[in-house]
Amino acid sequence: MTERKRPFWVRFWGTRGSLPAPRPTTNRYGGNTPCIEVRVHDEVFIFDAGSGIRALGDKLSREFNAVRATLLFTHYHWDHIHGFPFFGPAFRPGNRFAMYGEPRGSRNVREILGGQMAMPYFPVPLEAMRAEFEFHDVGPKMSLQIGKALIRTEALNHPGRALSYRIEFGGKAIVYASDTEHGNKLDARLVAHAAGADVLIYDAAYTEEELASGRKGWGHSTWNEAVKVAQAAKVKKLFLFHHEPARDDRALAVIERKAAKILPGTAAAREGTTYAP
Ligand SMILES: [Zn+2]
Ligand SMILES: [Zn+2]
């Protein structure tokens, strides 16, 4: 917890891709879908609203009388938004959230989040969330100064689009790049976006064998590619992320060891852990 005394840190609330996968054999790396908290002093940034955001909401409500946070969405596949209706602080008047996401056609982030909370999908509409919201469109290759943080965006290779976010503060950078599929060569755009980062959180859903057996075009990468991108971008710390729901802790630990052998310090992201660059 010494990390938490530092001004800039990241905490994993959900590390699992595609579908929550809670069971005794996934306890160590976690079963909740993507949600990442980044702190810049007392400013709260939340990346994605997978099922991990429920517990983050409880924690923020205990910590602050009035919760202020910036939520940034990579894209709107279920695993990145299905925790949002269970984000408790959103229902309380007096809390305030700035919401960033890429529009889809004529629909902005507000309409897209409202869509998943409409009948017949969910009984409680977005309008029942009584916190104050402001909604912002965002797209690739943007630089946004939000409070003390500078946030840069880049496009990822993912069916229906997705964004990567690079958050910079005090000469350090954390890059969140999930979900993305690699081709036959390194994604130069992503390598440039992650260049010199202190932390890279990268989609490592598959093994090479899994990718080759019918999963091409689904929008995800392998842990081998994660290592290559981190090496090319000269990243200081790589976290493998978006763990495959079927992967148990033991199998993930094997992957973690193999990756760390090639790139020392590499870790598979674990739910509930904090890291300060
Ligand atoms: Zn995903
Ligand atoms: Zn996705």
Side-chain angles (χ1 to χ4, degrees):
M1 281 306 113
T2 49
E3 281 91 356
R4 291 188 169 224
K5 295 207 167 58
R6 308 233 201 127
F8 190 37
W9 52 259
V10 56
R11 184 170 175 90
F12 296 105
W13 292 90
T15 60
R16 190 69 49 173
S18 307
L19 191 73
R23 55 186 187 276
T25 55
T26 59
N27 262 347
R28 195 178 347 149
Y29 295 94
N32 281 299
T33 48
C35 181
I36 291 174
E37 176 188 16
V38 172
R39 286 293 180 93
V40 177
H41 287 287
D42 55 354
E43 293 174 12
V44 181
F45 296 85
I46 301 168
F47 295 90
D48 283 336
S51 63
I53 200 171
R54 191 194 57 77
L56 168 58
D58 292 347
K59 200 264 299 193
L60 293 175
S61 293
R62 287 193 301 271
E63 186 177 351
F64 298 101
N65 287 326
V67 180
R68 305 263 178 275
T70 301
L71 272 84
L72 303 105
F73 291 89
T74 57
H75 64 310
Y76 310 105
H77 286 159
W78 281 338
D79 50 325
H80 300 256
I81 62 169
H82 60 192
F84 186 67
F86 301 90
F87 183 52
F91 289 89
R92 268 189 293 283
N95 291 342
R96 199 156 71 210
F97 301 100
M99 315 281 288
Y100 289 79
E102 198 175 8
R104 291 290 185 269
S106 60
R107 290 183 302 165
N108 66 12
V109 57
R110 183 189 188 286
E111 290 153 336
I112 293 164
L113 292 175
Q116 77 159 343
M117 295 178 72
M119 290 293 192
Y121 306 112
F122 200 71
V124 182
L126 183 70
E127 291 69 34
M129 291 182 150
R130 304 299 304 281
E132 222 177 279
F133 290 97
E134 28 168 281
F135 295 92
H136 303 270
D137 290 349
V138 65
K141 297 201 187 297
M142 287 175 67
S143 294
L144 313 160
Q145 185 73 44
I146 304 177
K148 297 183 186 78
L150 179 67
I151 293 181
R152 300 177 196 274
T153 62
E154 186 52 278
L156 295 169
N157 296 318
H158 198 60
R161 309 169 68 86
L163 283 179
S164 169
Y165 292 96
R166 175 183 177 116
I167 177 164
E168 299 179 358
F169 170 75
K172 304 211 163 177
I174 296 170
V175 176
Y176 174 41
S178 185
D179 309 17
T180 195
E181 179 162 349
H182 62 85
N184 295 325
K185 56 180 179 27
L186 283 176
D187 181 352
R189 221 169 36 178
L190 181 57
V191 171
H193 177 66
D198 297 273
V199 177
L200 172 63
I201 300 159
Y202 185 87
D203 182 339
Y206 301 143
T207 63
E208 295 291 333
E209 298 73 34
E210 286 164 350
L211 184 70
S213 59
R215 290 179 167 96
K216 281 194 179 140
W218 290 12
H220 299 286
S221 293
T222 63
W223 66 264
N224 311 70
E225 191 70 11
V227 167
K228 284 185 205 161
V229 170
Q231 285 175 324
K234 297 191 165 45
V235 162
K236 295 189 185 72
K237 174 86 180 175
L238 170 64
F239 284 102
L240 309 176
F241 188 78
H242 207 279
H243 310 313
E244 225 283 320
R247 187 112 48 233
D248 64 14
D249 288 335
R250 205 191 304 186
L252 207 38
V254 170
I255 288 174
E256 188 175 41
R257 269 199 304 277
K258 284 185 188 166
K261 223 173 193 178
I262 306 169
L263 185 63
T266 296
R270 289 188 194 196
E271 185 177 320
T273 61
T274 306
Y275 182 78

